[in-house]
Amino acid sequence: MPEISLRGSTAHGPARQSDRLAGMFESFRRRGRKALMPYMTTGYPKLDSLEQFVPAAAEAGADMFELGIPFSDPLADGATIQHATQVALENGVTVPYCLESARRLRQRHGVTAPFVFMGYFNPILQYGLERFAGDAIAAGVDGLIVPDLPPEESEELYNACNSAGLNLIFMLAPTSTSERVKLACQLGSGFLYLVSLTGVTGARTTLPETLESFVARVRQETSLPLAVGFGISSGALAQRVATIADGVIVGSAVVQRTSSGNVETVVAFIQELRRGIDQAGSPAS
Amino acid sequence: MTLSASLDTAVLDQWPDSHGRYGPFGGLYVPETLMPAILELDTAYREARQDPAFQQRFLALCREFAGRPTPLYYAAKLSALVGGARVYLKREDLAHTGAHKINNALGQGLLAQRMGKRRIIAETGAGQHGVASAAVAAMLGMECVVYMGTEDMRRQALNVYRMRLLGAEVRGVESGSRTLKDAITEAMRDWVTTVQSSYYLLGSALGPHPYPLMVRDFQSIIGREAREQILAQEGRLPDALIACVGGGSNAVGLFYAFRHDPVRLIGVEAGGRGISSGEHAARFSDPQLGRIGVLHGTRTYVLQNMDGQIAATHSVSAGLDYAAVGPEHAYWMSIGRAEYTYATDTEALEAFQLTCRLEGIIPALESAHAIAGVLKLAPQMAPETVLIANLSGRGDKDIHTVAEALGQDPEKV
């Protein structure tokens, strides 16, 4: 057995997290609605593009948003998001700008959907973990996903998020062992992010046949909502995922639609995903 | 100069801990998809490390395939020129495939085979690790894919062809600065996708645990040999060791066996066009850009902007052209066990030419940084001082870069 374990883990569920996320999932659970969470890179294709896309997508049926903080070396991302983050950096996006962008979406545009930041560890570390968690909450952000921060390295950020009340969302992959599933279920809050496939982000035409059993395997361990992402590129795939999961995360396929800067293209795709999700049946027994 | 008496070197052997930490440095910052593979690798390596049969096979291949031990050569004319120390060169350039990289490629190749992997992924900057990996994969009968920035492919065209001759597939990387950093990122993306079947053969003492440990272990044969050789040739320990530091594998490989000895350990980073230009790869010498951060799975000194975006680096030598330094070097620097300086492109090119003419050895441009360090430091030393510089690789691959930098055309001489 590996000798690695979480140092000083106090893993007994974080206190007083932002409850916008939990509230949404709880209300959806009662209504039988599945959450649609598009990912968009802050600052792509134009610096303030999200101020058009996010309100329109919320109107079109998106329930929550994953807001990307660009990083120069996004090693879990495929070509689409790599390109978007590169453009965003060239547009001058910084961590403070991402916080400001989220704050504007809340205050100026009145978006009430939960926001989750998705960003690699180094820019957050340089900003300061406690300062970041506090400023994210102040900006109206509800959760944080850090793809290069496994539970083993999460202690400092976990404590910072915990004291600020920010949900730290952990990822699980098809390769995750049952031990690791248990660890993420213990530490995670808000929801768990299930990576549908073994690979980097990017639109796919199919998803692995083992997806259903993977989701079921995690479901046995936790009452946290489960959201599935990576590869989902159409209403049909969104429907399949919504049948088994509580949330559907669509990244690269949305980013492709944002590239032209045309809001109608984004809205049409969100509507397609929404229709697919709403047609999903109840989980197969 | 002697080591600070207050430093108890026993502390060095406490690291890495089970989390791959070297003090506050190191660790394993990788996506969840890779975590099970990293833990499996950690377990497999710990077993192999304790297995005498594995170690014997490694040492036999170091002898019979790689041509070890490499000589320790007294550079008489270089010593006379600097007039302040007896300078020895550890001749890693004479190892098979032309650099120290073969030591680690052999060790990890054997581990990959032991783990039942059939496909090797590697990244390369100067091409030396790519060539070493390709040679080992061919010898062990494995598939080999090497990621290389297209800027480096241009600079190191000869090594690209060499890898292809050895049966490897070289995949050009167009992202970022199209150098080593981008090659590592792309290799990690491949690994995230093919983790069940592939072994990632990382070439330097960086990346997530257990890579810094494995690479140091396999490379530390350099220092073990050098220590025996200098005792036989000089009858005493050296006063100082000098090696270039990109990720830092040849440096840690030379230094490690001397860590408890009263020997100065001096790393030479790539000073590029000078620290104030911002165009360099000197992580320890630029307090503005070089700060503690996380890149490619490890916490260490990283060249970055104020917002935590990784800085573009520059060095005339592709192998040193990287934004982060191995975590064990960061730790040794932080506690004062090793010291770090830098050599600029110009200084390295001068040292390159000097080594050619004076000693009849064409050093790699990376190794020329170590020689440049000798040229700077040795004149201040007493004549009886003994110094070992790691001549980590040979420079045939660099002749086009050198010719270009000197405004010459090697085809028209």
Side-chain angles (χ1 to χ4, degrees):
Chain A
M1 271 291 101
E3 291 176 33
I4 293 165
S5 62
L6 186 68
R7 287 165 299 166
S9 163
T10 50
H12 37 57
R16 62 180 190 86
Q17 303 306 43
S18 158
D19 53 13
R20 211 178 275 126
L21 260 181
M24 183 200 75
F25 275 114
E26 182 47 39
S27 133
F28 281 15
R29 187 172 295 194
R30 275 183 272 127
R31 290 156 51 197
R33 181 179 170 98
K34 301 301 175 75
L36 168 58
M37 174 162 60
Y39 163 93
M40 296 177 188
T41 302
T42 307
Y44 178 78
K46 297 267 163 45
L47 188 61
D48 57 359
S49 290
L50 261 55
E51 292 185 55
Q52 283 103 56
F53 294 146
V54 169
E59 189 75 17
D63 299 303
M64 52 192 288
F65 291 87
E66 193 184 351
L67 307 175
I69 300 174
F71 180 51
S72 52
D73 295 80
L75 61 84
D77 285 303
T80 304
I81 294 178
Q82 283 176 49
H83 172 72
T85 56
Q86 191 58 44
V87 171
L89 290 173
E90 284 161 15
N91 288 340
V93 173
T94 59
V95 171
Y97 182 81
C98 292
L99 289 160
E100 171 60 18
S101 167
R103 196 188 60 77
R104 274 193 221 163
L105 290 170
R106 283 268 179 261
Q107 295 185 355
R108 194 177 296 174
H109 301 279
V111 181
T112 56
F115 291 161
V116 174
F117 269 142
M118 136 74 212
Y120 289 83
F121 189 51
N122 196 53
I124 298 169
L125 182 66
Q126 301 308 318
Y127 189 85
L129 302 182
E130 287 178 13
R131 181 178 162 222
F132 181 84
D135 288 357
I137 282 289
V141 174
D142 308 289
L144 174 63
I145 303 166
V146 185
D148 58 346
L149 196 75
E152 281 80 353
E153 299 292 355
S154 67
E155 191 180 349
E156 294 164 281
L157 184 60
Y158 179 87
N159 291 335
C161 287
N162 224 358
S163 35
L166 188 67
N167 292 285
L168 184 57
I169 290 144
F170 287 93
M171 298 176 109
L172 284 168
T175 52
S176 301
T177 57
S178 57
E179 259 185 325
R180 303 193 58 75
V181 170
K182 285 193 175 80
L183 185 59
C185 292
Q186 255 180 349
L187 293 170
S189 71
F191 63 94
L192 287 173
Y193 188 138
L194 272 55
V195 176
S196 70
L197 48 85
T198 304
V200 295
T201 61
R204 313 288 206 280
T205 50
T206 58
L207 291 174
E209 284 172 20
T210 50
L211 180 61
E212 279 75 11
S213 61
F214 171 43
V215 174
R217 183 158 73 88
V218 180
R219 186 79 78 187
Q220 284 179 342
E221 299 291 340
T222 186
S223 55
L224 279 172
L226 306 182
V228 173
F230 282 42
I232 301 163
S233 62
S234 64
L237 287 179
Q239 180 181 349
R240 176 173 159 204
V241 170
T243 307
I244 49 172
D246 308 299
V248 181
I249 306 170
V250 186
S252 298
V254 168
V255 171
Q256 280 167 9
R257 268 74 172 189
T258 65
S259 64
S260 67
N262 185 339
V263 178
E264 286 73 39
T265 314
V266 177
V267 163
F269 186 55
I270 295 294
Q271 287 167 339
E272 176 194 332
L273 294 170
R274 182 79 258 165
R275 278 194 302 274
I277 289 170
D278 289 345
Q279 282 161 19
S282 52
S285 56
Chain B
M1 192 188 273
T2 53
L3 275 181
S4 146
S6 60
L7 180 65
D8 178 4
T9 59
V11 71
L12 300 174
D13 292 350
Q14 294 172 11
W15 311 103
D17 65 11
S18 62
H19 283 78
R21 292 273 172 195
Y22 302 81
F25 304 103
L28 57 180
Y29 296 84
V30 297
E32 174 61 24
T33 306
L34 288 181
M35 278 304 298
I38 291 272
L39 298 176
E40 182 196 346
L41 180 61
D42 184 51
T43 305
Y45 179 61
R46 281 172 200 278
E47 286 167 9
R49 207 178 184 218
Q50 304 301 325
D51 179 356
F54 179 85
Q55 297 299 333
Q56 277 163 21
R57 179 131 190 260
F58 170 63
L59 291 173
L61 284 171
C62 279
R63 251 189 342 264
E64 292 148 22
F65 186 72
R68 304 201 69 88
T70 59
L72 185 69
Y73 169 71
Y74 174 60
K77 289 167 76 187
L78 189 61
S79 300
L81 177 82
V82 296
R86 298 172 58 74
V87 181
Y88 284 81
L89 303 177
K90 179 61 173 162
R91 297 291 307 275
E92 291 299 297
D93 59 315
L94 295 177
H96 178 46
T97 66
H100 72 291
K101 293 292 185 187
I102 193 71
N103 307 327
N104 170 56
L106 271 175
Q108 287 198 54
L110 290 176
L111 183 63
Q113 191 181 51
R114 184 186 167 100
M115 293 174 74
K117 306 287 183 181
R118 303 283 309 147
R119 178 175 182 268
I120 280 175
I121 312 160
E123 82 296 334
T124 199
Q128 292 301 98
H129 174 58
V131 170
S133 299
V136 168
M139 188 262 294
L140 296 174
M142 293 174 171
E143 185 191 342
C144 182
V145 174
V146 181
Y147 290 90
M148 188 171 190
T150 50
E151 167 62 14
D152 289 341
M153 288 176 76
R154 186 189 68 77
R155 290 196 274 189
Q156 307 288 353
L158 197 60
N159 272 343
V160 174
Y161 187 61
R162 206 175 265 151
M163 285 183 263
R164 287 180 175 148
L165 282 175
L166 290 163
E169 179 191 343
V170 182
R171 293 189 186 166
V173 179
E174 284 285 355
S175 55
S177 53
R178 303 188 296 277
T179 58
L180 180 57
K181 169 180 76 98
D182 313 291
I184 295 179
T185 303
E186 205 55 39
M188 291 184 97
R189 288 189 185 117
D190 181 320
W191 197 30
V192 167
T193 308
T194 62
V195 59
Q196 279 111 340
S197 60
S198 296
Y199 181 95
Y200 180 24
L201 207 172
L202 216 167
S204 195
L206 42 85
H209 177 72
Y211 286 103
L213 171 67
M214 290 197 295
V215 176
R216 176 250 273 169
D217 283 354
F218 293 131
Q219 292 295 2
S220 62
I221 192 167
I222 302 171
R224 286 200 306 276
E225 288 175 6
R227 197 171 183 282
E228 261 180 45
Q229 290 164 326
I230 198 74
L231 288 173
Q233 289 168 237
E234 279 282 340
R236 69 174 183 94
L237 287 169
D239 298 284
L241 309 178
I242 297 192
C244 66
V245 180
S249 72
N250 90 82
V252 78
L254 176 65
F255 295 172
Y256 198 69
F258 295 89
R259 68 195 180 285
H260 299 308
D261 298 325
V263 175
R264 278 177 76 186
L265 310 177
I266 302 164
V268 184
E269 297 185 288
R273 300 192 175 103
I275 302 304
S276 59
S277 74
E279 296 179 42
H280 59 78
R283 289 70 43 114
F284 292 133
S285 294
D286 185 339
Q288 264 205 312
L289 294 175
R291 304 192 315 280
I292 295 169
V294 170
L295 177 64
H296 291 146
T298 193
R299 187 184 286 221
T300 183
Y301 279 80
V302 181
L303 292 168
Q304 54 186 310
N305 72 12
M306 291 314 290
D307 204 44
Q309 306 298 338
I310 307 307
T313 53
H314 164 81
S315 170
V316 69
S317 82
L320 303 182
D321 196 353
Y322 180 64
V325 65
E328 195 158 26
H329 285 291
Y331 177 62
W332 287 19
M333 193 280 292
S334 73
I335 63 165
R337 179 61 192 96
E339 39 195 307
Y340 296 85
T341 179
Y342 63 89
T344 63
D345 287 355
T346 309
E347 290 166 332
L349 283 162
E350 278 166 15
F352 176 95
Q353 297 172 81
L354 196 77
T355 311
C356 290
R357 290 190 195 159
L358 223 45
E359 296 294 346
I361 296 168
I362 303 178
L365 276 173
E366 290 77 19
S367 321
H369 284 72
I371 306 293
V374 170
L375 295 174
K376 269 196 217 180
L377 297 167
Q380 309 155 17
M381 295 174 171
E384 65 276 15
T385 307
V386 173
L387 214 156
I388 299 175
N390 202 1
L391 207 105
S392 55
R394 71 177 184 220
D396 310 52
K397 69 188 173 62
D398 291 318
I399 52 172
H400 284 278
T401 306
V402 171
E404 201 175 290
L406 300 178
Q408 296 165 349
D409 182 349
E411 315 290 331
K412 289 186 195 158
V413 174

